[in-house]
Amino acid sequence: QVQLVESGGGLVQAGGSLRLSCAASGRTFSNYAMGWFRQAPGKEREFVATINWSGGYTLYADSVKGRFTISRDNAKNTGYLQMNSLKPEDTAVYYCAVGRAPTLRRYDYNYWGQGTQVTVSS
């Protein structure tokens, strides 16, 4: 089992920045790829970004490429999502998840956090 707790969400104006954190406990965090997904009201959960176990491979959704950066610190059992140039359409609940491979398919991730709300005002 891996327990994940997200933090760092909040209300920010368009153009602003937020840094989300995902603290892991339980099984060895460095054994897993980590992904970030988001879900806006009335919409399906969608892929945002993923990173492999070492941090050497990353993949981003086109909608966030160039604005968001995923990273991890295995020594701290923590992953991050730096979000810059935020837009109102980035408003959603953001979830971190871990799985065996850094894919964009949510079904490939075995463990999920409870989510943190990000609201971007125009």
Side-chain angles (χ1 to χ4, degrees):
Q1 286 276 12
V2 178
Q3 292 78 43
L4 302 171
V5 178
E6 301 95 336
S7 61
L11 174 64
V12 64
Q13 288 189 333
S17 298
L18 283 175
R19 188 195 197 200
L20 305 184
S21 297
C22 175
S25 61
R27 292 186 176 180
T28 305
F29 177 63
S30 60
N31 286 345
Y32 296 93
M34 182 191 72
W36 286 94
F37 291 75
R38 66 186 182 186
Q39 188 166 16
K43 295 188 176 182
E44 291 194 356
R45 193 169 299 189
E46 66 174 5
F47 168 76
V48 175
T50 188
I51 188 168
N52 75 332
W53 70 274
S54 68
Y57 172 82
T58 58
L59 179 67
Y60 296 90
D62 288 344
S63 58
V64 306
K65 202 173 296 183
R67 300 188 297 123
F68 290 11
T69 302
I70 189 171
S71 63
R72 65 191 297 161
D73 185 340
N74 289 337
K76 295 183 178 179
N77 291 330
T78 303
Y80 306 96
L81 185 68
Q82 177 67 43
M83 306 186 295
N84 298 330
S85 303
L86 282 161
K87 305 175 181 180
E89 52 263 44
D90 294 319
T91 295
V93 177
Y94 283 71
Y95 300 88
C96 68
V98 296
R100 289 300 180 186
T103 80
L104 48 73
R105 296 184 298 268
R106 60 180 177 170
Y107 302 107
D108 288 335
Y109 293 83
N110 308 102
Y111 302 104
W112 292 80
Q114 293 300 306
T116 185
Q117 176 71 47
V118 171
T119 303
V120 184
S121 63
S122 57

